[in-house]
Amino acid sequence: MGRTRGTGSKLLQEHGIAAVIYGGTYVDEDFRDRKVADGWFESKYKQRLLAKDLEATTKYRFDPKFNTGGTFGVNYAGMGGRIMAFNYRTVFDSEASRLAIHEQLIVGHYLKQFNEETIAPHRQHTCGEPCAAVCKKMKDGFKKDYEPYQALGPLCGIFDQRAAERLCHHADTLGFDGISAGGVLAWMMDLLADGLLSKEDLGVTRLPRWKIEGFDPVADSAHNAELGVELLDSIISRRGSVDLSQGARKWGRRLSRERGLRLLDRFLYVAFGRQGWMVPNQYWTPGAIAPMAIMGKYYMHYGSAFIEPRALGRLCAERFQKELLLDTAGFCRFHRGWAEDIVPEIFGSIFGMKDQLVAATQVTASRINSRNASVFWESERSVDFVLTFLKRARDVDGLKDAPLLSWISRFENDRKEAALDWWFEMRKGIDESLREF
């Protein structure tokens, strides 16, 4: 289901398969010498490598502005009214309602637990490399990252660490990607909550507790997590009407035809080709559902500011190339604050191939994009996701510029036509930026 992780370690642990890499290029300059690396950084940033890296990885280690650290801590601490919960239903709520959820259930409980259990006692470590980011935030063997603990957390109506751990662990045990699993479970819970599908349809014994009034962050979260576990087991065992053997998108389409219902309209996903689908990264921004050739990674622009769609497409293409360059060079993206700028220069210094690296990355991105089979948004929730983002930019962020107001008006007058125009404008920006010359 969706993304895959840990393929290499799985091959070694379960099948005894390992790769041995040998050979390489001999260079006169020993770039493992810290003085060599410091020289590069001092020349470009007027800082040594460690100082620049500490600055660039503040979020992943500990950010004093938020008094927390890691993707979980910093993202939730600064989220405010951009909270997404209950299968994105919160995008329809008032800003005051979203802020209340954030303050009471996130800051007051979910994030509070994380800070007390992980940040305060410094339960963190690196990936094994001597890295300043120490990004692995831990609690009793559970690694706390924002995206899986968001998709299998608030998106499913879960705001308690113990409940989220239960569901995340079960998803991991069954081999599911946390983000994709969370999007599917939240969708199924949404259908159950409104009676569009029954408990018998989905092979479960309970309905979700999704009423925010009087929501108990411990008891109700535990209830929703147990429902999530039952739904995962239904997916594996194909209980009731559940059959995701060809993917959630195709199952939803088939069941919609059989029942005469538009079940897919509650499912927020990016469609690709005939059967491909991807639950977007957990950020309330149109870039998260952009028509990029590769989604599920960060090969798109996911900033929270309003950007016109064609320009947004260009930014997505730019981010794609930068991320691809880091992947090619073997750099962790948590160091992108300096790596995107200096990696080509490092390749130039060591191998004399700065221009070749940049050119090869551009060509690779172009050729990947030439096979871009992205499909226009199929669900109403996708259109709502964009329109509510635009309205929040106007009503909460106070933006009154003509392009924003024009797009809102177009959506309100003819949402399908406006959605098509927005999607294709993004696609134009992507394609015109990734042409191979």
Side-chain angles (χ1 to χ4, degrees):
M1 180 189 292
R3 308 159 184 80
T4 57
R5 275 189 202 155
T7 306
S9 57
K10 280 275 190 184
L11 287 172
L12 178 61
Q13 293 170 11
E14 298 184 9
H15 305 286
I17 299 173
V20 177
I21 301 172
Y22 60 92
T25 302
Y26 173 80
V27 293
D28 292 328
E29 186 176 37
D30 187 355
F31 58 90
R32 293 170 297 179
D33 186 338
R34 176 58 66 85
K35 293 179 181 177
V36 174
D38 281 340
W40 294 330
F41 278 75
E42 287 171 346
S43 175
K44 189 170 184 65
Y45 302 113
K46 309 305 179 189
Q47 292 177 286
R48 291 186 176 182
L49 186 159
L50 180 58
K52 182 62 180 178
D53 198 35
L54 285 169
E55 175 188 288
T57 57
T58 296
K59 170 181 177 177
Y60 306 106
R61 183 178 55 261
F62 180 83
D63 192 335
K65 291 185 297 184
F66 298 105
N67 202 33
T68 188
T71 57
F72 185 102
V74 174
N75 283 2
Y76 274 126
M79 183 173 288
R82 290 180 286 110
I83 179 70
M84 297 180 297
F86 307 109
N87 195 39
Y88 307 95
R89 289 187 182 197
T90 49
V91 303
F92 303 108
D93 294 340
S94 67
E95 183 73 2
S97 176
R98 289 191 294 267
L99 286 172
I101 292 173
H102 181 256
E103 183 62 29
Q104 296 166 19
L105 299 180
I106 299 295
V107 175
H109 190 76
Y110 203 37
L111 177 60
K112 182 172 182 285
Q113 289 177 300
F114 171 77
N115 286 337
E116 291 175 349
E117 297 170 351
T118 297
I119 297 300
H122 304 288
R123 293 191 174 117
Q124 58 189 25
H125 59 74
T126 73
C127 61
E129 298 292 334
C131 175
V134 287
C135 63
K136 312 303 178 189
K137 308 301 184 187
M138 307 298 296
K139 170 65 168 72
D140 296 336
F142 296 102
K143 184 163 71 73
K144 303 299 179 75
D145 291 318
Y146 165 69
E147 299 235 35
Y149 274 78
Q150 157 61 23
L152 290 166
L155 200 67
C156 289
I158 297 166
F159 299 85
D160 177 72
Q161 291 292 333
R162 303 293 84 75
E165 288 167 358
R166 167 88 167 103
L167 187 53
C168 284
H169 178 67
H170 198 64
D172 285 344
T173 300
L174 296 176
F176 289 126
D177 164 70
I179 307 168
S180 294
V184 172
L185 297 189
W187 169 45
M188 290 178 167
M189 290 182 184
D190 197 332
L191 298 175
L192 283 171
D194 282 355
L196 295 174
L197 290 180
S198 68
K199 292 182 290 185
E200 292 72 25
D201 285 328
L202 297 180
V204 296
T205 64
R206 66 192 75 199
L207 297 175
R209 294 178 183 172
W210 272 18
K211 289 186 178 180
I212 194 59
E213 298 82 8
F215 188 91
D216 186 316
V218 176
D220 291 339
S221 292
H223 175 93
N224 292 332
E226 288 305 317
L227 172 56
V229 168
E230 289 187 6
L231 287 169
L232 288 174
D233 289 342
S234 286
I235 292 170
I236 292 295
S237 303
R238 300 186 190 179
R239 298 193 302 228
S241 300
V242 180
D243 182 0
L244 270 61
S245 58
Q246 293 184 299
R249 177 187 173 201
K250 190 162 186 178
W251 173 72
R253 186 187 299 136
R254 177 180 58 78
L255 199 60
S256 294
R257 287 196 300 266
E258 292 175 359
R259 304 295 177 88
L261 299 170
R262 294 182 58 87
L263 301 177
L264 279 175
D265 278 344
R266 303 291 184 98
F267 186 24
L268 182 59
Y269 64 97
V270 179
F272 194 88
R274 293 176 59 197
Q275 296 186 30
W277 59 276
M278 177 65 65
V279 173
N281 296 92
Q282 293 295 291
Y283 295 87
W284 185 8
T285 175
I289 54 174
M292 292 293 291
I294 296 176
M295 293 297 282
K297 290 174 68 68
Y298 285 93
Y299 288 179
M300 80 290 179
H301 179 81
Y302 58 103
S304 59
F306 164 72
I307 300 169
E308 291 191 69
R310 193 156 185 169
L312 178 57
R314 296 191 194 105
L315 286 176
C316 286
E318 179 183 326
R319 172 97 331 251
F320 178 25
Q321 292 179 79
K322 288 182 176 180
E323 297 282 348
L324 192 60
L325 186 146
L326 293 187
D327 288 348
T328 300
F331 276 77
C332 167
R333 71 180 305 272
F334 285 1
H335 303 270
R336 65 189 180 279
W338 54 262
E340 290 174 356
D341 294 331
I342 203 171
V343 162
E345 296 184 19
I346 293 173
F347 268 67
S349 176
I350 298 173
F351 304 110
M353 300 181 70
K354 173 184 175 180
D355 294 338
Q356 292 92 325
L357 173 66
V358 173
T361 301
Q362 292 172 338
V363 169
T364 301
S366 173
R367 291 179 178 173
I368 291 173
N369 189 63
S370 72
R371 293 164 175 79
N372 188 346
S374 295
V375 176
F376 173 65
W377 300 319
E378 296 177 335
S379 75
E380 288 297 309
R381 191 61 47 99
S382 300
V383 180
D384 292 328
F385 186 77
V386 174
L387 177 54
T388 54
F389 169 86
L390 299 177
K391 288 183 174 180
R392 186 179 185 277
R394 177 194 65 190
D395 300 337
V396 178
D397 297 336
L399 299 182
K400 305 297 182 184
D401 58 321
L404 172 64
L405 300 180
S406 174
W407 275 108
I408 293 174
S409 177
R410 291 168 67 177
F411 271 96
E412 291 177 335
N413 290 332
D414 188 336
R415 60 185 277 128
K416 183 175 181 180
E417 186 69 20
L420 276 165
D421 289 344
W422 180 283
W423 190 92
F424 276 107
E425 283 296 302
M426 279 199 296
R427 184 63 192 260
K428 289 176 186 176
I430 292 165
D431 286 349
E432 68 188 4
S433 299
L434 295 177
R435 290 180 295 172
E436 184 177 346
F437 294 96

